[in-house]
Amino acid sequence: MSLRPDLAVIAANVAHGSRVLDVGCGDGALMAALRDHGCDARGLELASEDVASAVAKGLSVVQGDADVDLSGYPDDSFDYAILSQTLQTTRAPDVVLDHLLRIGRKAFVSFPNFAHWRVRASLLWGGRMPVTRLLPLAWYATPNIHHVTIDDFRALLKERGIAVEGAWFLSGDQRTGAALANLLAEHAIFLLRR
């Protein structure tokens, strides 16, 4: 099974044998790839149907809410904490980010970039919230409650003194450069540490 492009980037950059917590793990696709790479992968997922799907694959997943349940995890319990396409759905993204970096020695965070040129054009010319490949639902049906851009996220990291160990930017399924990422990248992946 091939991974979604952002998950493939994350999987390729997690060290073999690491202890990993995948927050918002969905059906466990990334966890399964990491397990097959010798990692001890655990998951936290809000949707009960995704929890059931992941558990049916033999994965260690519990049902929980990132906004509430991360506070119960001890400090430095994982090598990596991962939050992929979930940050923008949390009520308090800054608090969730703090928990990720407390729980894991490093954290991967990926999210759709709401400043991508197609999103901007949709708002400018159509006057409506965009529906794109990465943002496929209408505004009233989307779980996205925070519309984060790459530059917004970079500013939050700077404000909090969080170091960036790596950053990858995707346009479609292809990587794009960092210089114009806020305009040209549909999706961003950051590897962070305190």
Side-chain angles (χ1 to χ4, degrees):
M1 179 171 110
S2 91
L3 291 173
R4 203 174 63 210
D6 63 311
L7 298 181
V9 168
I10 294 169
N13 289 281
V14 170
H16 176 79
S18 296
R19 292 171 299 127
V20 177
L21 176 64
D22 188 357
V23 179
C25 65
D27 67 2
L30 175 61
M31 290 177 58
L34 292 172
R35 176 195 60 196
D36 295 348
H37 189 59
C39 293
D40 177 8
R42 310 296 168 103
L44 179 73
E45 172 57 43
L46 184 61
S48 59
E49 60 277 4
D50 282 338
V51 172
S53 178
V55 169
K57 295 175 186 168
L59 300 169
S60 177
V61 177
V62 296
Q63 187 170 11
D65 184 339
D67 280 307
V68 176
D69 297 318
L70 291 179
S71 62
Y73 285 87
D75 294 358
D76 295 322
S77 24
F78 294 92
D79 299 310
Y80 297 93
I82 299 170
L83 190 72
S84 178
Q85 293 194 17
T86 303
L87 182 72
Q88 73 282 359
T89 69
T90 62
R91 286 187 305 274
D94 55 336
V95 174
V96 170
L97 184 59
D98 288 343
H99 279 303
L100 288 179
L101 290 164
R102 178 187 60 74
I103 294 166
R105 291 185 177 91
K106 296 180 182 181
F108 278 101
V109 177
S110 77
F111 54 89
N113 176 27
F114 284 87
H116 182 262
W117 70 267
R118 283 191 189 101
V119 174
R120 294 179 192 209
S122 179
L123 287 168
L124 178 65
W125 301 113
R128 298 182 64 188
M129 292 304 296
V131 175
T132 67
R133 184 176 64 90
L134 288 177
L135 303 169
L137 302 174
W139 68 268
Y140 55 85
T142 182
N144 299 320
I145 60 175
H146 296 286
H147 299 101
V148 63
T149 71
I150 291 169
D151 285 354
D152 287 328
F153 192 69
R154 286 175 171 156
L156 175 64
L157 298 177
K158 184 176 181 182
E159 175 185 304
R160 298 224 178 220
I162 297 170
V164 176
E165 279 202 5
W168 300 263
F169 306 103
L170 302 174
S171 181
D173 297 341
Q174 303 298 316
R175 290 193 188 169
T176 188
L180 294 175
N182 201 52
L183 179 64
L184 300 178
E186 292 178 281
H187 204 92
I189 306 120
F190 285 86
L191 175 58
L192 310 171
R193 65 174 169 76
R194 280 270 178 214

